[in-house]
Structures are given as structure tokens and as C-alpha cells.
Amino acid sequence: MPFAVRIAEENISPEGQSSLQAQNETAVSNGVYYIGSAISHEGSDLLCVVPAKAYVPKAGTEVTLNVTVKFKHAQPCPYSDWKIIAGNPTNVEIVDESETKLLDQYTAFKQYTVKVLGNGTLDVVFKYGSGCPYGSEERVTVSFYVGAPSEENLTNTSTQIPELNTSEKVLSGNIEEVNTAGRYILVNSTKVFIRGRWTDEEGGEYTWKEMLAVLKVGEKVEVKATYENGEWKAYEISVNGKTFVKG
């Protein structure tokens, strides 16, 4: 076969998840194909669900979902009532769910067992803690199918869980460039990328493009940013006496 398929006779478990994230493969357990990982990173934290798609041999088959949250800030944090939930089931039934466990200060883990009744979907959501300025929710939709996947669906899929790099810096100085096409500003000769949605202190909401429009060349700015995937990405911007946060 021209694609890689890993055969796993045991049920997918936290240990199985660790094995999954180390390989760009499809896993097969008891006739169920676990394909890919579903990622959401709109705010500061990152939600990853493995698999993104599951193919079962027949209706009534149970599937295990591994849910991981990578926090930007160490836990416990001041907004500690965050939670992982699942909802909006279509042709699936949640038959069991584990407690949410902190694997370390920056990682939460939870499992769901889902019975697949037909082709359908399930939303998995990470809710930020009450009052958290760095995001409201991360949401992914997992898809389920009865039958075998095509060869196309099995190729070039990744079950890796991205690492959320927690390296941070504060840049303070004049804005040297605002680049809408590149989606970044230049401060102290450093490109800082603007992604996702933003809010101000009065609850106003901004897209990344609207946020860039607020920022003007020559203005004094303070930017808090994290280093992810080779780029500095802003999560808090203070300019003209006003503070904006991502999420």
C-alpha cells in the first residue's frame, strides 16, 4: 500500500496517543481508522483532538477521542474554571468520558468514548476560564463515517499534536512598518504577526485586519508576543493608552 497505516490492537489510550503524536500515520484499532488531528488555536491556548476523522466498519461501533489542551500560561492560573466539553452530536452518542487531568503545568488531557450510529459529527470545545482576556473558546468538529476510507483520505495525514511554544518577549518602541499583506508590524526591527480576533477594554471586537488598521507607523507601542513556529505572534498590544488582547 502506498500509504502508512499503523495497526494498534489495543484501545487508543494516553500512552497510545503519545505514540500517535510521534508519527505521521493513520492508526487502526479494532477495525476503526483514526485519521489526523483537529486543531484550534484562535486564542492563546491550543486545542487538539485525535482523530479528526474516524471510519468504523459498522454502525454501533465505539470510537475513542483523545483531547489535549496546551496552555500558554502555567496552571493553575487566575481563570481556573476552564473546561473541556463535547456537544452538538449528529448520528453519534457519547457513552463515556474521563475526568480532565493535568499531565503537567501546561497540558490537560481528556478522553471521550463515542458510539457511531451513522455518518455524523461531534463538536469538542475548550472553554477559557471566566474573565480570561486571552480567549473565549477553542472549537473543533470531529467527523465520523461508516465504511472504509479511500486511499486519498489515508495519505498525507498527520496525527501530531503541535507544541505550543511558551517563549515570550515584550517589544516596546515605535511602529516601523504595518504590513497588511504579510499580516505583521515591525517593532525594533522585529516582525510581530497579528492573527485571529482581538478585543479591547470596552469589549469592542476586531479582526486581524481591523487590528492592523488601528496601528500606525511612528506610534509608540508595547507588544507582548510568543514565539511559535518560527514567528513572533502578538497576544497583547498597548497603543495610545488602550490595550487590545487576542481572543
Side-chain angles (χ1 to χ4, degrees):
M1 301 174 75
F3 44 82
V5 177
R6 184 172 66 85
I7 305 298
E9 296 300 333
E10 72 281 5
N11 290 329
I12 304 298
S13 62
E15 292 76 18
Q17 180 222 21
S18 296
S19 179
L20 277 176
Q21 65 176 320
Q23 305 175 55
N24 290 332
E25 298 179 342
T26 294
V28 183
S29 176
N30 298 324
V32 178
Y33 285 78
Y34 292 79
I35 299 179
S37 51
I39 306 293
S40 176
H41 185 21
E42 294 299 317
S44 293
D45 300 332
L46 182 148
L47 170 68
C48 178
V49 181
V50 177
K53 299 178 183 179
Y55 289 78
V56 300
K58 61 181 180 179
T61 302
E62 293 185 356
V63 172
T64 300
L65 304 183
N66 286 329
V67 183
T68 303
V69 173
K70 293 284 188 178
F71 299 100
K72 189 176 77 68
H73 302 104
Q75 301 299 312
C77 73
Y79 315 100
S80 58
D81 61 340
W82 54 265
K83 57 186 175 181
I84 299 170
I85 59 175
N88 298 326
T90 302
N91 281 336
V92 298
E93 176 188 349
I94 300 172
V95 296
D96 193 21
E97 62 181 278
S98 71
E99 294 182 0
T100 300
K101 297 181 179 180
L102 279 175
L103 302 183
D104 56 50
Q105 286 183 300
Y106 292 93
T107 310
F109 180 79
K110 184 172 185 175
Q111 281 190 320
Y112 287 95
T113 302
V114 176
K115 182 182 291 185
V116 180
L117 307 177
N119 292 349
T121 57
L122 179 71
D123 289 348
V124 179
V125 183
F126 167 69
K127 294 280 189 181
Y128 287 77
S130 302
C132 179
Y134 301 115
S136 55
E137 71 172 31
E138 306 292 343
R139 178 184 295 265
V140 300
T141 300
V142 181
S143 299
F144 304 89
Y145 304 92
V146 177
S150 66
E151 180 177 327
E152 181 180 357
N153 285 324
L154 287 170
T155 56
N156 299 321
T157 59
S158 172
T159 49
Q160 289 186 318
I161 298 176
E163 287 299 319
L164 186 58
N165 194 310
T166 55
S167 297
E168 300 185 30
K169 72 159 53 174
V170 179
L171 296 105
S172 183
N174 293 328
I175 300 174
E176 300 158 21
E177 179 185 355
V178 177
N179 191 310
T180 303
R183 298 172 65 176
Y184 68 82
I185 60 175
L186 196 66
V187 182
N188 294 341
S189 301
T190 300
K191 287 184 180 180
V192 185
F193 290 85
I194 311 297
R195 299 284 192 264
R197 302 191 67 84
W198 291 74
T199 57
D200 62 24
E201 297 155 307
E202 286 77 43
E205 298 184 353
Y206 305 78
T207 65
W208 65 267
K209 186 175 288 188
E210 291 169 335
M211 190 66 236
L212 281 171
V214 170
L215 305 171
K216 308 297 183 184
V217 172
E219 290 182 328
K220 178 77 173 178
V221 69
E222 181 180 274
V223 182
K224 295 180 181 179
T226 56
Y227 193 73
E228 303 173 27
N229 302 320
E231 298 177 344
W232 286 104
K233 297 182 181 179
Y235 69 87
E236 183 174 306
I237 299 173
S238 297
V239 63
N240 293 327
K242 200 169 184 178
T243 298
F244 304 82
V245 295
K246 182 182 175 184

